[in-house]
Amino acid sequence: MALKMKAAIVEEFGKPLALRELDIPSPGAGQILVKTEACGVCHTDLHAAHGDWPVKPTLPFIPGHEAIGLVAAVGSGVTIVMEGDRVGVPWLYPACGHCEYCLTAWETVCPEAQFGGYTKNGGFAEYLLADPNYVAHIPAGLAAVEAAPLICAGITTYKGIKETEAKPGEWIAISGCGGLGHLAIQYAKAMGLLVCAIDIDDGKLAHAKHVGADLVINAKAGDPAAAVKKETGGGAHGVVITAPSLIAFKQGVGITRKRGTCVLVELPPGEFPVPLFDVVANCITIRGSFVGTRQDMADALAFATAGKVKADVELQPLSAINQIFNRLEHGDVASRVVLDFTRAQAKNQ
Ligand code: NAD
Ligand code: ZN
Ligand code: ZN
């Protein structure tokens, strides 16, 4: 009889996840089986469970794309990782490896790319299958629960900051100081930027200051453009919008300095109108950014091993997933909730 694992499953969009026992999958040729130690809960998991985006996952599926675990078994032909290695199972895997984007290290936009916890079952489960060519290699000394948020929130914000092309000494504005934002602030500081953090929650802003923001602005009081322009002497050279809100998009363009770049990483459902005159007359670039490459992953993890970036995590068991989703939806998570599978296993023994 196949051994069983606990998993949280989206069976219907917009409904609570079902906690079920499933057979532990076995790795086919070229695959690995990972025993989950930790998995971060990203706002994207909420969008996935709600079916928010034009391309929806096929039901039922297991979300989770910030999984860290130990390789428990390898399929035939696998040589890159070995049993016992600690790996991260990310959002992006696999890509085709031979299209014009893969060839130029833009595998993030490969037309054949698959997504962990979306088109493939993810880390809200005690075990998951992964592709050894696309897993993150977790450096020794980085705890699984601290590494988990870096696998999506970390790499996405590190890449997003680079995509603004802001230079050391210049201003970057980070809109949204949650799971992604609290890491974005730290990456930006480590990259020598001056950081203006924007949120609608004073608690998040206090935390933003604590993790290094030079300036904090509450957008609830109104459009933050005037305040940012005044404090930064003309607007932020780079802007990264992580706030899952269409208003934040519009405000992000407004706080971008002339010739600056506003990078969009948040993914709320819908569209937003672009203030054409402002964008054209101020020569502003609006750019989308989607996670990052495997090299970005290695770089993003290196900041953490060097002690320059540290995820702020709240540990919870898998069984709490529906309460966590509810809190995330209402802005009631301080930074990142990470599902801690090792604690649950210790309790079960
Ligand atoms: P989160 O819920 O942890 O954080 C969101 C933060 O935005 C909260 O602090 C909230 O208070 C703040 N916020 C909400 N409305 C705001 C507004 N109008 N102005 C300023 N701040 C506001 O979410 P997260 O896990 O950080 O994810 C953020 C978004 O990024 C989601 O839409 C997610 O899908 C997306 N995302 C994109 C990528 C990518 O590759 N592009 C990767 C990961 C996540
Ligand atoms: Zn490709
Ligand atoms: Zn994510």
Side-chain angles (χ1 to χ4, degrees), residues 73-155:
V74 301
S76 63
V78 173
T79 53
I80 293 176
V81 297
M82 294 196 319
E83 248 179 71
D85 284 357
R86 177 165 286 130
V87 296
V89 188
W91 171 256
L92 177 85
Y93 77 92
C96 80
H98 52 74
C99 70
E100 66 178 283
Y101 305 109
C102 285
L103 290 177
T104 51
W106 276 100
E107 68 249 34
T108 46
V109 288
C110 169
E112 288 176 34
Q114 300 278 320
F115 307 120
Y118 203 81
T119 65
K120 289 182 169 293
N121 279 334
F124 291 0
E126 288 174 311
Y127 288 86
L128 77 165
L129 293 174
D131 183 328
N133 295 311
Y134 287 84
V135 291
H137 300 271
I138 307 305
L142 200 55
V145 292
E146 281 179 8
L150 306 177
I151 297 304
C152 173
I155 183 178

Side-chain angles (χ1 to χ4, degrees), residues 43-45 47-48 50-57 91 118 267-269 290:
H43 209 109
T44 290
D45 296 313
H47 295 309
H50 285 175
D52 272 347
W53 299 336
V55 183
K56 296 186 198 316
W91 171 256
Y118 203 81
L267 285 160
F290 199 44

Side-chain angles (χ1 to χ4, degrees), residues 42 48 96 109 141 153 192 194 199 221 250 253 306:
C42 179
C96 80
V109 288
L194 292 167
D199 205 289
K250 190 160 180 284
V253 175

Side-chain angles (χ1 to χ4, degrees), residues 42-44 47 53 152 156 175-181 198-201 204 219 242-245 247-248 251 265-268 289-291 328 335-336:
C42 179
H43 209 109
T44 290
H47 295 309
W53 299 336
C152 173
T156 301
S175 167
C177 303
L180 265 66
I198 302 165
D199 205 289
I200 49 171
D201 180 293
K204 300 274 172 70
T242 80
S245 139
I247 307 156
Q251 294 176 343
V265 302
E266 89 284 39
L267 285 160
S289 188
F290 199 44
V291 283
L328 198 56
S335 297
R336 200 50 137 201

Side-chain angles (χ1 to χ4, degrees), residues 23-45:
D23 289 350
I24 297 176
S26 37
Q31 289 184 322
I32 57 174
L33 179 70
V34 176
K35 187 174 197 293
T36 317
E37 296 176 293
C39 187
V41 182
C42 179
H43 209 109
T44 290
D45 296 313

